[in-house]
Amino acid sequence: MREYLRFLSRCFRVSFVGDWRYQAWMAGLTTVALVGLNAYAKQLVWGLGATGMTDEVSWGLYIGNFTFLVGMAAAAVMLVIPVYVYKNRELSDLVIFGELLAVAAIFMCLGFVTVDLGRPDRFLHLFQRFNFPLSMLAWDVLALNGYLLLNLHICGYLIYCAYRGRKPSKAFYVPFVFVAIVWAISIHTVTAFLYVGLGGRPFWNSAIIAPRFLASAFAAGPAFLIVCLWILDRLTNYEVPRAAITTLRRIVTVALLINLFLLACEVFVEFYTGSSHGVSARYLFFGLHGHSAMVPWIWTAIALNATALLILMTPVGRHEFGLNAACLMMIVGIWIEKGMGLIVPAFIPTPLGDIVEYTPTTNEILVCLGIWSAGLLLFTVLVRVTIPVLAGRLTADRSPAPRHPSPRRLAAGEEPESRLQPRARMSRT
Amino acid sequence: MRLLLAGLWFALAAWFLLGSSAGREDVLGELARAPKINPLELSTEPLRFPLTDPPHLTLGGVEQRCSDCHDLFSSREPTPTTLLQHRGIVLDHGLNDRCYNCHSNPERTSLVLRDGSEVPFGESTRLCAQCHGTLFRDWERGMHGKTLGSWDPASPDFVRLQCVSCHDPHAPAFESFTPLPGPTPRHPRPQGGRPR
Amino acid sequence: MSSTPPEDPQDLSRRGFLQASAAAVGGASALAAALSPLRELDPDDLPSIESFFQKHYREMTAEEREAALERIRESVAKRWEVEAEVSDPSPRDGVEFVYALNVSRCIGCRKCVHACVEENNQSREPELQYIRVLEMPRGTLDVEKSDHHYEREEVPDRGHFYLPVQCHQCADPPCVKVCPVEATWQEPDGITVIDYDWCIGCRYCEAACPYWARRFNYSKPGIDREEVNPDMAYLSNRPRPVGVVEKCTFCLHRTREGRMPACLEACPVGARKFGNVLDPQSEVSWILRTKRVFVLKEDVGTLPRFFYYFDERYPRGGAAPFEEKTGRDAPAGEERR
């Protein structure tokens, strides 16, 4: 126990150490996080009137970001499945980054849900009268927190084992990994059911939403990791295996293809039938009665996703630059499509046919940026601590620098080998 | 580096304390204010107060009954073209253009049915029922008209308003109403109403 | 300690330590300053210990309920210097409330909207209303074609009919199903109520409602002293705090005592009907048995207790053929005289 606390305190100290780029990145994130906190404090005092939400559009940027980030969290499974089910070796070193991303993403999800609550002071009511299994939100609370715990356990156990120089016992984490695979699918399915289950909102009331969510998540999540790994590779001495990136690129390409296919299916149903239930889709894609705030956004998203797909499916995608550009495009594209593009139009027009558009306020945007910064801060710290520990440069052993092998590789029976150099540092994500 | 950071934090703190305003107006902006409504507009009183039974009016401080005059001056004309009295009355009740369709000619304190039988003013509904049979049926069951006091037919407070509590028997169609203000949007809309 | 300095900094000199302390103090003060807007919190709005630990309405004992009512009285007295009568009427046995609205009669005057606001202590700033009157073009029931913001010199307009919408008190309410904390539920008399002291403000119910009947307090409800209706009940029109959802309760503080809802009393044309559907002689029972009745959005399957009906005759103001001869617009009788 004492050893564990010492581990935590050393991790804490390590997270402050880095070159100037690391320091600047962390300082910048902290600054934005504090600005977000300041904005949230104002919202706490005056209520959700500080946001652009209304009775007409009662969910906005917060829930949009939440939905997107649930996908990012679920996307870890796209690394876990190849490694644990198909015994893919290239990804085995990287799978922990996926899991750390899941931890950070769930942290942000919980942040976005919290700031969306009108009475966060009453969150204890969840423990006193929990409407389970009837409310999909209750399911989501369980799914998200369960997933957070699972990933914290898996990452924490593996990292601590590496720190102590022990070989991780499979019994302590492999079963959890398989539970987490199912759980990852379930968090995003439950989040989709949150919307899909509402008969009064025809825009959401479509069985294809859950598959769409998963497809877009499996595109955006690994794309985010590709970009992170590329930055790690460029700015630190950490070398990312080429083969792993290739695998990730294939995953991303297929997921994006499926995502665009499902989107096309949805669009076909909404427009070919011509039923009045397609009115929100008409608002989203073409505008309604002169109201068209969402139109440029959704077409930007589609253009970004289509361009990304084009890049990925041509030789351009094999180049480093092309690949990263495509990944960034699809992250932004999917963020728009799934965040704003899926949440807001369902409220327009209202169930009574009134059209009130939604524009987030500055305060609301600052809160969002603050949560994103806090989440990225957490992710950076997690990665910053994990790399030296797994490389065996930060150990419980006080003797000089024994090179401990990566626990996963030990577990997989591989040759111990570390690519991490003494001055390896996380920089930007 | 650390000093630089310390400087950054202090600058940030100063901005939070001095630069960023956190007053109600600053954060919420201008709120949609509900319009004040004249209490008379929301009165729950019946639209009209029907005549008492038997009807009377006060002339020169003296309470008069209909028969006080009409016993002296009895009108023989079924459809008077020029009225000397009751000039405020506008008769706009479908095909009813004769006073004696409803008012008893010999006995002005009563109304009269088609068959000639007299009906007191308090039972004017029976008179209406002669022509408006389906509406009368609806009214009897509370499907037309207005009930006040209680929703429970067994309650002593249950009051079903008479036809003449809402409709002027001489011109039963309702006047048009000026609608009260519509909803005030929280965020000003780009256009005033919905373009059609 | 580890031999690799960058991973484990133990080399703090005095100067380095001072600088690190300065950065730490700076960081802490930035954090504190970031939270400085919390100074603006009104102490009166913060939950007291008792109200923080107040149980869910349905778990309270009789004494705890009375204490909760007393707290409401005190807060009303403190905020507005108004002596409120806060009650907690129970549902009556053998009563299930149903609303019926005659679309042939409704003229779209919006008196119900504003009577409701006054009765139910709704926020005036920002404005909050439970009833929305839709002006519908003839020939459709598609609410998407409606106009909520009509402004006319006179109503009714000949080319339109009017469809007031409020909480339909569904028998299978989606809003109740989705609430994660059971802050809203259906009472035995069919009224779906909200415990404003339990709602966490997630607005899932607002998203779930197919009738757009729920309202959220995006900021603290603003009501002037002379606007306060002192006749209050725990589950209906007592003042609501910021950050919770509210909605029409069929004026349960009135109707559970046998009175009529405020919107019905304000209706100048008698288009609104209310009563106990379990009583075969009630007005609503007669309407459901004999009139042409419909519910809005039947396809969503929530089984509303709010019915619309119409009369067999042409609605007034309509383009009925005989209207031209005898209607109020062409007083032909005068000419014949």
Side-chain angles (χ1 to χ4, degrees), chain A residues 68 76 80 90 99 105 147 167 169 190 250 271 343 355 362 391 401:
Chain A
F68 177 77
V80 173
E90 296 97 38
E99 287 158 348
Y147 192 63
K167 187 173 187 270
S169 154
V190 167
R250 289 195 186 123
F271 288 98
I343 302 304
I355 297 182
T362 313

Side-chain angles (χ1 to χ4, degrees), chain A residues 69-400:
Chain A
L69 284 164
V70 174
M72 297 293 274
V77 81
M78 278 291 103
L79 280 77
V80 173
I81 289 177
V83 171
Y84 286 89
V85 180
Y86 296 107
K87 311 288 178 209
N88 179 306
R89 295 203 167 179
E90 296 97 38
L91 288 176
S92 62
D93 255 2
L94 304 179
V95 69
I96 193 117
F97 293 123
E99 287 158 348
L100 293 176
L101 175 63
V103 170
I106 295 281
F107 167 79
M108 288 188 260
C109 286
L110 296 176
F112 275 113
V113 173
T114 308
V115 297
D116 192 62
L117 288 185
R119 302 295 306 210
D121 54 318
R122 296 184 183 166
F123 82 98
L124 281 176
H125 291 181
L126 277 170
F127 298 94
Q128 294 168 47
R129 278 185 86 97
F130 194 54
N131 191 7
F132 186 82
L134 220 49
S135 170
M136 277 298 128
L137 205 52
W139 279 77
D140 219 22
V141 169
L142 288 184
L144 290 178
N145 286 297
Y147 192 63
L148 180 63
L149 291 180
L150 276 173
N151 277 294
L152 276 177
H153 167 74
I154 295 166
C155 299
Y157 179 71
L158 289 177
I159 294 171
Y160 189 58
C161 278
Y163 173 77
R164 297 293 300 266
R166 290 196 301 231
K167 187 173 187 270
S169 154
K170 284 196 172 188
F172 274 116
Y173 77 99
V174 174
F176 291 101
V177 168
F178 281 93
V179 173
I181 291 176
V182 181
W183 209 287
I185 309 283
S186 85
I187 57 167
H188 218 20
T189 309
V190 167
T191 305
F193 285 0
L194 199 77
Y195 310 113
V196 172
L198 305 181
R201 305 267 173 199
F203 185 70
W204 286 337
N205 196 210
S206 150
I208 210 173
I209 300 272
R212 259 181 79 191
F213 270 20
L214 287 168
S216 59
F218 295 162
F224 186 79
L225 276 178
I226 289 178
V227 177
C228 290
L229 291 171
W230 177 68
I231 292 169
L232 266 183
D233 194 75
R234 289 293 292 267
L235 297 185
T236 74
N237 294 345
Y238 185 78
E239 271 178 47
V240 179
R242 289 280 121 207
I245 296 291
T246 309
T247 315
L248 282 178
R249 192 192 61 195
R250 289 195 186 123
I251 292 171
V252 162
T253 311
V254 173
L256 186 61
L257 200 60
I258 297 176
N259 181 43
L260 280 172
F261 169 68
L262 292 179
L263 178 69
C265 293
E266 185 92 274
V267 168
F268 171 79
V269 172
E270 295 278 23
F271 288 98
Y272 190 80
T273 15
S275 109
S276 64
H277 285 176
V279 65
S280 290
R282 279 212 294 286
Y283 167 75
L284 174 63
F285 287 98
F286 302 111
L288 202 62
H289 302 294
H291 300 271
S292 54
M294 292 296 299
V295 175
W297 288 93
I298 193 66
W299 287 109
T300 307
I302 290 174
L304 285 172
N305 284 343
T307 316
L309 187 65
L310 213 63
I311 293 175
L312 288 173
M313 293 181 77
T314 53
V316 187
R318 308 225 173 108
H319 294 295
E320 200 178 59
F321 179 76
L323 175 64
N324 283 291
C327 286
L328 283 176
M329 280 183 201
M330 81 173 81
I331 292 168
V332 176
I334 290 171
W335 181 82
I336 297 173
E337 178 199 319
K338 209 163 148 178
M340 297 290 272
L342 197 109
I343 302 304
V344 175
F347 293 94
I348 301 169
T350 69
L352 296 186
D354 194 18
I355 297 182
V356 173
E357 296 199 286
Y358 164 76
T359 321
T361 59
T362 313
N363 206 67
E364 194 175 1
I365 294 170
L366 288 180
V367 172
C368 291
L369 289 176
I371 294 174
W372 270 100
S373 297
L376 290 178
L377 202 62
L378 177 67
F379 184 56
T380 313
V381 167
L382 289 174
V383 173
R384 172 72 185 85
V385 169
T386 303
I387 288 179
V389 172
L390 291 190
R393 278 175 292 110
L394 186 69
T395 60
D397 193 350
R398 285 145 202 258
S399 64

Side-chain angles (χ1 to χ4, degrees), chain A residues 6 10 13-14 17-18 34-35 37-42 44-51 53-60 62-63 116-126 128-132 134-138 141 193-195 197-201 204 276-277 279 282 288-289 347 349-356 384 388 393-395 397-401 403 421-425, chain C residues 1-10 27 30-42 45-47 51-59 127-129 132 134 142-149 165-166 174 176-183 195-220 241-244 296-297 299-300:
Chain A
R6 212 174 77 83
R10 289 183 70 189
R13 264 178 286 154
V14 164
V17 181
L34 284 175
V35 171
L37 184 68
N38 180 252
Y40 181 53
K42 292 179 193 171
L44 266 183
V45 173
W46 298 116
L48 278 162
T51 70
M53 289 186 276
T54 51
D55 280 322
E56 285 85 0
V57 183
S58 50
W59 280 343
Y62 294 159
I63 296 295
D116 192 62
L117 288 185
R119 302 295 306 210
D121 54 318
R122 296 184 183 166
F123 82 98
L124 281 176
H125 291 181
L126 277 170
Q128 294 168 47
R129 278 185 86 97
F130 194 54
N131 191 7
F132 186 82
L134 220 49
S135 170
M136 277 298 128
L137 205 52
V141 169
F193 285 0
L194 199 77
Y195 310 113
L198 305 181
R201 305 267 173 199
W204 286 337
S276 64
H277 285 176
V279 65
R282 279 212 294 286
L288 202 62
H289 302 294
F347 293 94
T350 69
L352 296 186
D354 194 18
I355 297 182
V356 173
R384 172 72 185 85
R393 278 175 292 110
L394 186 69
T395 60
D397 193 350
R398 285 145 202 258
S399 64
R403 290 275 185 256
Q421 304 304 310
R423 288 199 52 80
R425 259 168 215 161
Chain C
M1 291 289 129
S2 170
S3 65
T4 44
E7 310 299 2
D8 223 355
Q10 294 297 312
L31 180 68
L35 292 170
S36 64
L38 297 178
R39 286 172 309 179
E40 305 271 349
L41 275 176
D42 185 350
D45 291 342
L46 296 175
S51 53
F52 187 78
F53 288 108
Q54 181 177 311
K55 288 184 194 157
H56 187 278
Y57 172 82
R58 293 208 276 186
E59 286 173 5
E127 181 187 80
L128 192 152
Q129 299 170 341
R132 184 56 70 89
L134 277 57
D142 180 3
V143 292
E144 210 261 303
K145 298 195 170 70
S146 69
D147 185 359
H148 296 221
H149 306 272
V165 184
Q166 62 207 75
V176 168
K177 197 158 61 179
V178 300
C179 178
V181 293
E182 299 179 353
D195 185 347
Y196 311 119
D197 291 340
W198 198 260
C199 173
I200 58 171
C202 70
R203 307 187 301 297
Y204 196 11
C205 54
E206 218 179 357
C209 176
Y211 300 102
W212 196 64
R214 289 183 166 244
R215 301 290 180 273
F216 181 70
N217 286 289
Y218 282 92
S219 51
K220 185 179 174 180
V242 63
V244 303
L296 212 52
K297 302 194 182 206
D299 52 320
V300 293

Side-chain angles (χ1 to χ4, degrees), chain B:
Chain B
M1 190 67 179
R2 287 174 184 140
L3 283 182
L4 204 68
L5 279 179
L8 172 67
W9 301 143
F10 282 121
L12 199 61
W15 183 70
F16 287 145
L17 290 174
L18 307 170
S20 83
S21 46
R24 185 168 181 268
E25 285 281 301
D26 304 315
V27 177
L28 297 181
E30 201 177 325
L31 295 176
R33 173 100 188 117
K36 291 265 184 217
I37 304 294
N38 182 350
L40 289 177
E41 293 275 10
L42 302 178
S43 162
T44 57
E45 297 287 335
L47 291 180
R48 303 182 71 251
F49 294 96
L51 297 176
T52 50
D53 181 27
H56 60 80
L57 69 164
T58 313
L59 280 178
V62 187
E63 196 156 287
Q64 309 275 344
R65 292 170 54 140
C66 304
S67 49
D68 291 349
C69 293
H70 284 282
D71 282 353
L72 299 175
F73 318 101
S74 68
S75 167
R76 297 276 169 242
E77 260 189 275
T79 311
T81 44
T82 335
L83 286 175
L84 294 174
Q85 296 295 325
H86 304 307
R87 300 183 78 157
I89 292 174
V90 177
L91 195 59
D92 179 17
H93 191 158
L95 300 172
N96 272 305
D97 51 2
R98 300 178 182 202
C99 304
Y100 306 138
N101 283 353
C102 300
H103 292 278
S104 170
N105 193 9
E107 179 48 60
R108 289 299 166 83
T109 46
S110 292
L111 301 166
V112 66
L113 297 183
R114 284 283 182 216
D115 63 3
S117 53
E118 288 185 354
V119 175
F121 269 77
E123 292 171 33
S124 58
T125 309
R126 285 172 60 199
L127 188 71
C128 308
Q130 293 181 121
C131 299
H132 305 283
T134 52
L135 278 178
F136 177 71
R137 182 201 65 200
D138 282 2
W139 175 82
E140 271 192 309
R141 295 161 184 180
M143 300 189 283
H144 177 100
K146 189 167 173 180
T147 304
L148 289 175
S150 174
W151 47 264
D152 185 1
S155 163
D157 300 329
F158 183 91
V159 180
R160 189 165 288 155
L161 298 185
Q162 302 251 320
C163 309
V164 288
S165 296
C166 300
H167 299 282
D168 177 351
H170 298 117
F174 274 21
E175 296 291 315
S176 286
F177 286 77
T178 307
L180 294 182
T184 321
R186 188 165 90 84
H187 298 298
R189 13 178 74 232
Q191 292 95 349
R194 276 276 293 290
R196 299 229 72 89

